[in-house]
Structure formats: C-alpha cells, structure tokens
Amino acid sequence: MSLTQAQGRVLHHPFKENTTLKVLAGPGSGKTFTLLHKIHHLIETEQIKPDEILVLSLTNKAVDKIVDELFTTFQELNKDSKYSFEELKEIVEQVGVYTIHGLANRVVVEREGLVNIIEENGWRGLLKLISEDFWKSKNINVASPRRLQKLLQSYKQNDDNDEVIEKIVKIMNDCKVLTNDDLISRATNHLNEKIEINDGSTVEDSYENFTLAIQKRYKVVLIDEFQDLYPALLPIIKKIAKGKQLILFGDTNQSIYEFLGHNKYVVESLDKLNLPHNNHVLYLGDNFRCTPEIISAATKILPLNHDTSHTDFVLKEKSGIIPQVYQIKDPLEQLEFLVKEICELASSSAKFSDIAILSRTNSHLQTIADHLTLYGIPFEKLASQPDWLNDVRIQFIIDLLKVLTMAYKEAPVMNPDNISTWKSDFSVIVTLSTLKGIGTKSIQTLYSASTKKGISLWKYITEIPTNQWPSSIPFRGKIENYAKVLYKYLEAGEVWSLDAPIALIEYVSGIASQLDYAPFQFKSIKEMTEFKIHLEEMFKIMKLCTFNKPTDLSLVEWFLETYFDQSSLYHHAKLACESEGAGVVKLSTIHSSKGLEFPITFLMSPALQKFPMDDNTLYVGMTRARNLLYMININHSRIQQPFTLNKNRAHLLSNKSFWNYYNNDLNRGDSFKYSLETNLYNYGRLQNKFGFSRSYSTLCGPIVRICSKYLPR
C-alpha cells in the first residue's frame, strides 16, 4: 500500500532537534501506518540510527500494535532484499517502544530495585489502618479504596496537614509502595539526576544503563495518541523530549480522559517546549476505516480536524447503509434484539470476530456477557489490563509470594528520619487484612506495636509470643495461624529453588489453602471456573518467565519483578497465534476500545439509561465502526431523525449490494460470495445451535489444592 499525499507530507518532514511536529490524525486516517513508515524513513535515509528512536504510548494495546506491525513494515519496505531477515530483526529490536508507565517502571526499578505498584488488595489493606472515627470526621459513611485514593491524591496535591493520611503516605514510602502517579514522579526525579559513566567505558557502553540511555541516546521521541496525555505525565514527557525532535500523533476529538486532567493544558505546555517557529502542524484527513455514511453521522457530533488548504484526502466509497439507530425501552427486549442481530450478521458474511459491542460501563457489559452466555455465543472482553490480574484471589497469591521473598531477605532500610523501616510490612498488612476475623483494630495495634519495638511486622508476629501482644487484639489465633503457616514455608527456603511454574503454583496454592481467605469460598461453579481460567493465565505467564529469566535470579523473583511486562509479551504472542475460524464477539468499554476498529460495532446504553453521552465519548464509539454501526438507546441531542427509523435494516440479511461491498472492503475474496438462500439456511442453523456452552480447564492440581475444601456441595 502506497502512502497518500497527506501521509507523504508527514514522512518527508525533516528531522531537526529542538522541534515539535504535531500530526492531527482523524479516525481511520492510517495514523499507525504513517508512524511506522516515518520510523522506517528516518532510519533508511540515515537521518537517525534505530537505537536513537523512542516510541511512547499510554496503553499496552497501542504498544502491542506498534510492536506487532513494525517488523512487518520493515519487511514490506525491504527493497531488493537489502537486509537479511536477521538484520531486519536486529534493526527493529533497537527501536525503543514502551508505554509511558512501563518506561517509568524500568527507570525506577533500575535505580531503586523492586517496587510495589498498589492494586485493589493493597488499597483494602491500607483501609485497615484507618479508624472508623477518621471516616466519620470526614462525613464519609462508607470507606472504600476509591475514597482513600482521592484523599491521598488531594493530600499530595495540596499538602494538607492530615496526620492520618500522612501516616499512610509514610507507610507507602517506607515499603516502596507506589501509585501510578508516584511511579511517574519517581522516574522523573531519576531522569533529572546526573549519572556518572564508569572509567574505561565508552558512551555506547554506558547506554546499558537504561536511565542514561533515556537522558542521552534518543534523538527522536514519537508519542502515539497524544490526546490521552494528562497533566501528571507532563514532567516526564518534557524531560524525555527536551532537546529532541518531538513528534505527536493524535486526534483531539478523541480526548476522553478528562477525569484525569485537561489534555488541553498538556498540549499547550508541550507547544511551549520549543520556540514557536520550530513547532509545525500537519493533518491526516484520509479515512480508510469508516464508510462515508458513518463519518457523516460522526461529524454531526464533532467536526473533523481538517486542513482546508488541502483537498487531496482519500475517502472510502459509500456502502449504501446508514447507521442503524434504535430505542428499545425493555432491557430484556434490548438483549434479545442484540442476539438476533448477531445471528443474522453471522449468517451473512460476518464472522463473530468482526463484531464488537461497546458500552460506557463494565456493569452493562457484564449484563450483555451473561445474556450471550445463555445462548452460547462466544465472546471475549477487551480491557486495559488482563482479567487474571484483576482477580483478587490471584492478587492474594501474588501478595503471599511477596511476603515470602521480602520477609526471607528482611533487612532494615533507613528512612529520611533515620528510623528503620521494612519492605515486607506492606505485603504482610495486605495479606493479613484480607483474612476473615482480622479487623482494622488488630492491624492498627500490631503495626504500632512492631514500630515501637523497631522491628518489622513480620518479625513481631513470628518472634514475639502472643501473650506479650497488646490485650486489645481479638482473634489472635487467626494471626498466629497465618504466621505459623508462612513461617514454616519461609524457613524451608524452598521457594528459591523452584524453577518449574507448576511447582511454584503448587507451592503457593498449598499455603493459600491453609489460610482463611473468604474469596476462596466460592459461591457458584461460575465463580470457581473464572478463577480456574485466571490461574491458568498466571501459569502461562510464569511459563514465559522461564524462557527469559536471567540466570542469577530465581523464578519467583523474576516473576514478581516482571509479571506486568510478561503479560504484555504473552498477549503479543497470543495475537500472533490466533487461529483463522469464526472467532469471538468482542466486548469492551468505549474507553478501552480507543485505537481499535471493528467491521461491525454495536454502540449501546442500558435500556433504562437516561444520562446523555458526551460528545467525545460518542464520537470515539461511533468511529470504531468500519462498515456497519448500530446505536441502541444512545441518548444524545443530535442522534435523532433522519436515521432513527432506518428502513434499510429490515432488508440487511438480503442486501446483496452491501455484503459484496463488505467482503470486498475486508478482502475476503470469492470464499464469501453472497447467497440469500445460504444466509437463510445459516440463520436457521444458528438459531438451533445456540442453546448451551461448555468450558474446559487443563490446570488441575493447584486448583484442587486451593478449591477442594471450598467447593459448593
């Protein structure tokens, strides 16, 4: 595929340090395609070396896409086989491609060692350190992790003199527990430090130091989806981009993260990074994704970013089908309509994998997922983080591993006040606080007692006899059991020698099954099945760790240090190995669908939802659709006639012209020739088929270890 004139203008924009190029790229304009060709052009014309290019994005999804397609792009542009396969691979692997948080994490770990990024279980553990009186003083009836996060954020921004929150901040600092914003701040501080080059090392050798490479080596910084940047990221972006050529790709119409802070402020600040005459703006006004009918509907919501000085933008031909808009008041009727439409589409030329269902909320998506399950329609949820990492049971297992590793190598760390602190404290607090019967008061009292003695919480509960504990601690037998169980495993030291994933999972599941952890008391077969699936995913990530683990680290250490990154690698490999077949229907929030496209998109709101959808979110949802867009119960003042009643829909199954257009657009070839008779036959077959579903599991031993005493009877 050749570049359009608009893409060519971006490609040939010259490299020059201390300049900014902003590329306003509308939906389906070939933004990623242009970005990849820009990287190739910089290297091929020898303006820049491969290892002098840094590509950043905010999501793993966007990074995965760039990594997936970068090598393919270089292969396609390898004229006359100038480079061998191995040479191309070496060139591509030198280009730095990271999420902003992934880059920050690598900097911080390099400079400080392993840190904890706080998750749901961590917030709940911290809640146990706060008394009910504190929440009453704030007029807060129900304490929750989200409320604590907001109070912590407010404290850091305003430097309030709140002793309780100050205490929480101190615990987090002492135990190296970071929020995502903390991670960015710490990485920025390290990037501001001067790093000395060892005597005898060349500058190139010193770039083995990742932080120094960020400071000195890179000359071009490309940021994908710049409209997603928020103020907390600004310091690290400015530090990384200073003195380099900064190239920003994005679409301000798709700015939908305003709750994190105003993107407009970030863009204005980046515009001031270089002198005004060194700032340039180019436009990608082509559209290879959406049909003109969908674009016409989207522009009723927001006008396209457009350069009126150029009229050479490329658009698709019309499909003849306008967006399908419905208002269905009954919730069950809405879900039944969805199933019927999916069956009709799958009976025509569409695969299940062509179809995406988008909504604003995860709760609505879960309702849809439950209904699709009843009919056995295959689906998968798309999310910014894999489901297995969001499972509180998996988080508990990982926290147990952290207790074992940190307590085994326990050593005091001096904080700025010259007081000994302990890395293991946070993981002990988190795991203890999740056990039944161990309340807020017990956690608070134990932590205070260990602090007064100048020892870690782990040493306190394992070395101080229970009769010497403060008398106000109830259910001390449960705490004593927790300490005995973990101490037995920790003393054996076996965790360090386990180099097989199944053995490590067996090991930690043996510990978990001896603790009174409520979420392991499964309330249904469905709940237990979900956990089985997530444990299998954890096993696969551990398996991946065995292939890239450094020789000087144990499997448990490497897993704890890299499981977030390994999840991304696994996802990348999984995409590459997906089979052809009919695939599965995609379910996603509108926010998580950003950057993706689907041949057919159902944009939905709950049947009884009266809250209107904002312009940017609606625009993003609509422009995910390539060929066919359904909008069901979308509340917006400009979603109305003339496309509320669409007569075309009734004839969609028999619309030969549209399905020929559809197959041609997706390059499906002769194997998808239209036939009304075949479509009607397929529709009847699907109606008969979808009545049950089955699921399978291959990881039995560890699941039995954890689940056996909790299985519903």
Side-chain angles (χ1 to χ4, degrees), residues 235-509:
I236 194 169
I237 295 296
K238 290 172 71 173
K239 180 61 185 176
I240 292 171
K242 186 68 175 175
K244 305 172 177 66
Q245 183 177 53
L246 175 63
I247 305 178
L248 303 167
F249 284 82
D251 178 8
T252 51
N253 281 355
Q254 297 186 56
S255 179
I256 57 175
Y257 297 112
E258 291 297 304
F259 57 89
L260 295 172
H262 291 291
N263 174 259
K264 185 177 179 181
Y265 167 75
V266 177
V267 174
E268 289 174 349
S269 297
L270 291 178
D271 284 342
K272 297 174 183 176
L273 186 65
N274 295 306
L275 295 173
H277 68 272
N278 283 333
N279 290 340
H280 306 275
V281 179
L282 292 175
Y283 297 83
L284 295 180
D286 310 307
N287 197 299
F288 303 98
R289 178 194 301 164
C290 306
T291 65
E293 292 89 344
I294 293 171
I295 285 294
S296 177
T299 55
K300 295 178 187 298
I301 310 303
L302 285 173
L304 297 174
N305 290 315
H306 204 278
D307 179 9
T308 56
S309 66
H310 291 283
T311 58
D312 53 15
F313 296 129
V314 177
L315 300 176
K316 290 171 65 173
E317 293 182 6
K318 290 186 176 181
S319 70
I321 298 291
I322 61 177
Q324 314 287 292
V325 180
Y326 299 94
Q327 292 294 326
I328 305 175
K329 295 182 180 180
D330 180 79
L332 182 58
E333 184 183 349
Q334 182 195 57
L335 294 170
E336 288 293 306
F337 172 79
L338 177 64
V339 169
K340 180 178 179 294
E341 287 300 301
I342 290 173
C343 287
E344 282 195 20
L345 294 167
S347 301
S348 302
S349 294
K351 300 180 179 182
F352 284 134
S353 57
D354 293 348
I355 302 169
I357 303 171
L358 311 182
S359 182
R360 277 187 301 189
T361 66
N362 282 304
S363 59
H364 186 217
L365 286 177
Q366 187 58 52
T367 300
I368 294 169
D370 292 341
H371 201 75
L372 295 182
T373 300
L374 290 175
Y375 284 90
I377 294 176
F379 66 88
E380 68 174 349
K381 292 182 181 178
L382 305 180
S384 56
Q385 182 167 287
D387 283 347
W388 77 276
L389 283 176
N390 293 322
D391 190 323
V392 293
R393 304 170 188 85
I394 298 295
Q395 290 179 14
F396 178 72
I397 289 172
I398 291 174
D399 285 327
L400 285 177
L401 288 174
K402 287 179 179 178
V403 173
L404 290 173
T405 56
M406 291 182 180
Y408 187 84
K409 293 185 175 182
E410 191 84 273
V413 177
M414 304 306 291
N415 68 14
D417 298 322
N418 207 32
I419 300 173
S420 295
T421 59
W422 311 87
K423 283 187 181 181
S424 65
D425 281 355
F426 182 74
S427 295
V428 173
I429 290 170
V430 169
T431 48
L432 261 181
S433 65
T434 58
L435 303 183
K436 284 170 40 175
I438 302 179
T440 300
K441 189 174 181 180
S442 296
I443 299 292
Q444 292 171 357
T445 305
L446 280 171
Y447 186 73
S448 296
S450 65
T451 302
K452 288 179 181 178
K453 280 193 170 290
I455 60 175
S456 69
L457 180 56
W458 171 254
K459 283 191 174 293
Y460 189 90
I461 63 175
T462 55
E463 296 182 3
I464 305 298
T466 55
N467 60 11
Q468 295 181 26
W469 292 3
S471 58
S472 58
I473 298 176
F475 300 107
R476 60 186 62 198
K478 287 183 175 292
I479 301 172
E480 189 176 20
N481 178 65
Y482 165 91
K484 284 182 177 178
V485 169
L486 266 71
Y487 187 81
K488 178 180 68 175
Y489 285 89
L490 187 144
E491 281 297 290
E494 188 181 356
V495 68
W496 305 105
S497 62
L498 297 174
D499 54 8
I502 194 69
L504 184 56
I505 291 181
E506 285 274 12
Y507 180 82
V508 71
S509 65

Side-chain angles (χ1 to χ4, degrees), residues 16 31 124 225 228 297 356 412 448 551 597 613 679 688 701:
K16 186 180 179 182
K31 173 179 61 64
R124 294 193 180 282
E225 307 286 7
D228 294 341
S448 296
T551 55
E597 65 174 68
M613 192 175 291
N679 290 357
N688 292 328

